[in-house]
Amino acid sequence: MTTELTVLGACPLDCPDTCSWVVTVRDGRAVDLRGDSGHPFTRGSLCTKVNRYLEHAAAPDRITHPLRRVGPKGSGRFERITWDAALDEISVRLREIIDRYGGQAIWPYWGTGSLGFVQGLGGSPGRRFFNVLGASDHAMTICSIAGSAGLTYTTGTSAGIDPEDLSRAKLIILWGTNTLTTGHHLWKFIQAARQDGAHVVAIDPLRTRTASQADEHLAPIPGTDAALALGLLNVVVGLGAQDREFLAEHTLGWPEFRERIEQYPADKVAELTGVPAERIVALGTRIATTRPTAIRATMGMQRHAGGGTALRTLACIPGVTGDWARPGGGLSYSTTAHFPLDRAALYRDDLRPGPVRTLSMTLLAHILSTVDDPPVRALIVQAANPAASTPDQNAVRRELAREDLFTVVVEQFPTDTVDYADIVLPTTMQTEHADLHNGYGHMYLAWNEPAVAPPGECLPATEMFRLLAGRMGLTEPSLYDSDERLAEQALGSGDPALSGITLDRLRANGYARLAVPKPFLPFANGFPTPSGRLEFRSARAEADGLDPLPGYLPAAEVVSDRLAARYPLVLISIASHHFLNTVFGNNAELRRRAGRPRVVLHPSDAAARGLATGAEVRVTNDRGAFHAELEVGDWVRPGVAATTKGHWAKLTGGSSVNATVDERDADLGGGAVFHDNRVEITPA
């Protein structure tokens, strides 16, 4: 007799939308996956990637048993072993490393392959275990940290307006964000605003899918967004359109910041940004005369040497116009900081035997090659693919190939990083385990109920560390908390925004909106800064050795004449429509749709090099190179080349775009600089 049931869940991937979904299970097998039509934000649709999730979970290259390396590191040669053998080897090796070097020689390395608060980055599975061992702390620097740090100097938080409230705006500026590829559910709210008369502007060096659908598109030189923001404010102030009441009652440092704005007239900004002065004046005038104005900015625009400063400066625009006080006005970057989950209870950093150092994930090669107090001798990788996703790919792979680095990779598929592992542990996918999620592009929590049993010997990451703690004889009770207990602890902060949201409610309904007003004015009761005001002038920034005022800090390689002489093209690696970072990079159908790695040049740049669409080219600089197929198109501006991230190096010729990216920090937070990258393109 056939049995069929539906199970509520949520997408775990690194996307702001965190779709709620419904899995149909027939006779113990997941046979259908669809979006939950009742969810107020995602409304029943999934993306082109996640529509293939069930197929992906059942893929023939799924890792379903523990593996031990039998060939050289990087060869991808393994033998199957038992869980007992894997746990024994890991526990013995970790004990040996701790005895010789101390706990900080262990680096737990989490990525964004899953964002859940139980199985993913939000909860960092095994963090309590590593805290008990005294392992190094892991700095999550690969995604949004520079922008978050910049926003915090201005508004006190990286959290801004509710993205749903864009439907109330009369002017929407999509700044450095490709909504239709990287979070398409927001488009419904943008369209609702349009139907009510809103004007939509895209600011992006590329004419993306989203920019093509906007009413207006400005294409600045990469990394010049802060200069453009100051130029727009120069127009606003020149028209006398600043909100004097808001400035007087809710901001700090306006007279000084006004002087800074006056240093950026439209003609100067046109030279810096490559945007014609008349278009700067036109958009500045529109901002000056349109209330409310909403800005949606996401992570791509802050991945350069001045990225944190750029977001710090962007957040000032609604401070000058007063839009932070208007429903539908303000800036949206990430909503994560609005979710008052009890991270301290999840992480239990109090279990550490003493202070520990912090290691930045985007300086992986540098740290592995230079840090020696103590050296890193164990790397435990979860939900990350650093051999493909981190900067300076060649240097990273050289360090991962070291025999004295004991590497454990917790994975679902044989990624580029798996090839360098000593031990591979097979982990569950989202339909096979429990997890708690928030959306960083909306205001809803979601619960993911396991729908089916995992294949083979796959285990949830949380269970792996419970087993490993037992194998190592650790007696701290919290190391053995169940997944449900972890979720309850996260929900137990007592913050009013979580009022009425319990695990039982989430399990029954699948999702719940935070208990905040709608529409939502995030700073109705003041800004969470030291002054309680929006801080144009920040004493904290000054104390940190930074400019006390927002400003413009250019992308280092973009403005380097010395580098431009050798490498005249600025390379941007944008999100793929078919992969999510490197997730799905091995899916046959999505690889077919994505095609080979491709790089796009403006017709003038292609002609100067004697190149045409379809040519096989080499993209290179001093750090490395990768091969791609050329596309010639005017959707990139002259002097800029564009490619997509997400391709697995071992499936596409042995190298990818991150072979050319520098391993250095942005201005704030230690963020990565993926879009601060000069290259040359030649025939292959």
Side-chain angles (χ1 to χ4, degrees):
M1 181 178 178
T2 298
T3 60
E4 186 170 298
L5 69 154
T6 57
V7 181
L8 301 179
C11 178
L13 301 178
D14 183 12
C15 166
D17 293 3
T18 311
C19 293
S20 284
W21 69 29
V22 181
V23 183
T24 300
V25 179
R26 185 176 302 132
D27 293 336
R29 189 170 68 90
V31 297
D32 184 61
L33 177 70
R34 66 184 188 278
D36 187 337
S37 61
H39 193 284
F41 189 84
T42 58
R43 299 183 185 179
S45 63
L46 302 175
C47 68
T48 185
K49 301 172 279 286
V50 174
N51 274 325
R52 309 196 76 84
Y53 195 85
L54 296 186
E55 167 196 301
H56 195 52
D61 58 343
R62 178 89 184 266
I63 298 171
T64 56
H65 303 281
L67 303 172
R68 178 193 288 125
R69 178 171 61 90
V70 296
K73 285 196 171 186
S75 67
R77 291 167 51 197
F78 297 95
E79 65 179 358
R80 177 177 168 179
I81 59 175
T82 65
W83 268 104
D84 281 340
L87 294 169
D88 284 344
E89 184 164 344
I90 295 169
S91 61
V92 168
R93 292 292 298 274
L94 293 184
R95 279 295 179 201
E96 291 174 348
I97 289 166
I98 292 169
D99 291 345
R100 181 173 179 183
Y101 300 102
Q104 292 184 80
I106 301 169
W107 186 356
Y109 192 100
W110 292 282
T112 61
S114 170
L115 299 187
F117 284 90
V118 179
Q119 307 297 344
L121 179 64
S124 303
R127 180 156 176 159
R128 295 177 180 183
F129 168 83
F130 291 113
N131 284 340
V132 169
L133 298 184
S136 291
D137 192 20
H138 175 73
M140 180 63 205
T141 53
I142 204 165
C143 187
S144 60
I145 193 167
S148 294
L151 288 167
T152 300
Y153 283 127
T154 300
T155 65
T157 176
S158 60
I161 64 174
D162 179 354
E164 290 186 55
D165 286 339
L166 264 67
S167 63
R168 302 172 184 271
K170 296 302 181 184
L171 173 61
I172 297 173
I173 303 176
L174 302 174
W175 206 317
T177 183
N178 186 9
T179 304
L180 289 172
T181 286
T182 60
H184 71 90
H185 298 89
L186 181 62
W187 195 251
K188 295 186 291 288
F189 298 92
I190 294 169
Q191 289 292 71
R194 264 180 150 167
Q195 291 167 11
D196 200 28
H199 185 80
V200 178
V201 180
I203 299 177
D204 197 304
L206 313 176
R207 193 173 68 246
T208 62
R209 290 171 183 257
T210 303
S212 296
Q213 295 296 315
D215 299 308
E216 185 178 350
H217 173 219
L218 276 64
I221 295 168
T224 62
D225 302 279
L228 180 56
L230 290 165
L232 295 171
L233 284 174
N234 185 281
V235 177
V236 171
V237 174
L239 293 171
Q242 65 268 32
D243 188 323
R244 292 174 176 79
E245 181 179 351
F246 184 88
L247 289 167
E249 296 182 4
H250 301 291
T251 73
L252 181 71
W254 169 241
E256 296 139 293
F257 185 53
R258 178 170 182 160
E259 291 180 4
R260 174 65 54 86
I261 291 169
E262 290 171 353
Q263 298 169 16
Y264 287 85
D267 55 350
K268 174 183 176 179
V269 172
E271 293 180 7
L272 293 171
T273 65
V275 177
E278 60 270 20
R279 299 205 62 194
I280 296 169
V281 171
L283 180 56
T285 301
R286 191 181 288 275
I287 293 171
T289 57
T290 309
R291 308 272 72 78
T293 289
I295 301 170
R296 171 65 169 169
T298 52
M299 291 70 199
M301 66 166 291
Q302 47 94 64
R303 291 177 179 151
H304 65 83
T309 297
L311 264 298
R312 183 183 175 193
T313 304
L314 255 66
C316 296
I317 295 176
V320 174
T321 62
D323 279 308
W324 281 120
R326 297 181 175 90
L331 182 144
S332 169
Y333 180 66
S334 169
T335 58
T336 292
H338 284 313
F339 291 84
L341 298 172
D342 195 340
R343 291 166 175 81
L346 271 181
Y347 298 161
R348 292 298 308 275
D349 291 346
D350 60 297
L351 296 175
R352 292 171 177 158
V356 300
R357 66 188 177 187
T358 298
L359 303 177
S360 169
M361 70 182 298
T362 48
L363 299 179
L364 177 60
H366 172 75
I367 290 168
L368 291 179
S369 63
T370 64
V371 171
D372 60 1
D373 187 25
V376 175
R377 286 292 182 259
L379 187 71
I380 316 298
V381 180
Q382 297 183 65
N385 188 7
S389 294
T390 53
D392 205 348
Q393 183 177 85
N394 293 328
V396 167
R397 293 196 292 194
R398 283 194 299 270
E399 295 304 317
L400 292 179
R402 285 172 23 199
E403 288 292 335
D404 63 351
L405 178 67
F406 178 59
T407 302
V408 178
V409 179
V410 178
E411 249 300 343
Q412 301 151 352
F413 294 100
T415 64
D416 292 312
T417 304
V418 162
D419 288 351
Y420 292 88
D422 293 290
I423 300 290
V424 183
L425 301 179
T427 191
T428 45
M429 293 182 68
Q430 189 74 346
T431 50
E432 302 153 7
H433 59 224
D435 212 343
L436 174 69
H437 289 269
N438 71 284
Y440 66 86
H442 58 64
M443 304 289 282
Y444 297 84
L445 283 164
W447 176 253
N448 184 78
E449 188 74 11
V452 295
E457 297 180 282
C458 294
L459 292 177
T462 47
E463 181 62 16
M464 293 180 192
F465 288 102
R466 287 189 280 263
L467 293 173
L468 190 55
R471 194 60 53 105
M472 296 188 71
L474 303 180
T475 58
E476 163 57 41
S478 67
L479 298 181
Y480 303 96
D481 284 350
S482 68
D483 293 350
E484 289 76 12
R485 177 64 181 142
L486 293 171
E488 290 171 340
Q489 290 166 357
L491 293 169
S493 68
D495 190 281
L498 294 177
S499 177
I501 301 177
T502 64
L503 182 55
D504 286 344
R505 177 184 168 191
L506 289 172
R507 289 182 109 158
N509 299 329
Y511 58 85
R513 179 179 166 85
L514 291 177
V516 296
K518 192 171 183 180
F520 176 56
L521 292 175
F523 308 122
N525 297 316
F527 291 83
T529 58
S531 66
R533 294 168 172 249
L534 182 145
E535 295 190 349
F536 296 124
R537 191 185 198 287
S538 170
R540 286 182 301 164
E542 187 172 27
D544 290 340
L546 303 169
D547 191 333
L549 297 174
Y552 165 53
L553 186 62
E557 292 199 2
V558 174
V559 299
S560 170
D561 292 335
R562 178 185 60 83
L563 279 175
R566 296 178 62 203
Y567 302 114
L569 298 167
V570 176
L571 179 64
I572 296 178
S573 49
I574 63 174
S576 169
H577 201 69
H578 304 289
F579 309 141
L580 210 163
N581 303 324
T582 62
V583 177
F584 302 110
N586 60 321
N587 181 277
E589 175 57 21
L590 292 174
R591 286 185 66 206
R592 185 193 68 79
R593 294 181 188 181
R596 298 181 52 215
R598 188 177 295 110
V599 63
V600 185
L601 277 182
H602 189 271
S604 62
D605 291 318
R609 291 162 176 78
L611 298 171
T613 293
E616 184 76 13
V617 296
R618 186 171 186 261
V619 185
T620 184
N621 59 23
D622 288 340
R623 292 177 286 270
F626 67 99
H627 284 240
E629 180 181 314
L630 184 71
E631 176 185 334
V632 179
D634 64 0
W635 61 274
V636 300
R637 60 170 296 134
V640 173
T643 190
T644 54
K645 61 182 180 178
H647 289 282
W648 290 16
K650 69 179 183 179
L651 300 180
T652 54
S655 188
S656 66
V657 61
N658 286 331
T660 66
V661 175
D662 197 11
E663 191 184 56
R664 61 182 158 85
D665 288 342
D667 55 335
L668 301 178
V673 293
F674 292 105
H675 302 326
D676 196 350
N677 184 21
R678 279 201 170 271
V679 300
E680 179 57 293
I681 296 178
T682 57

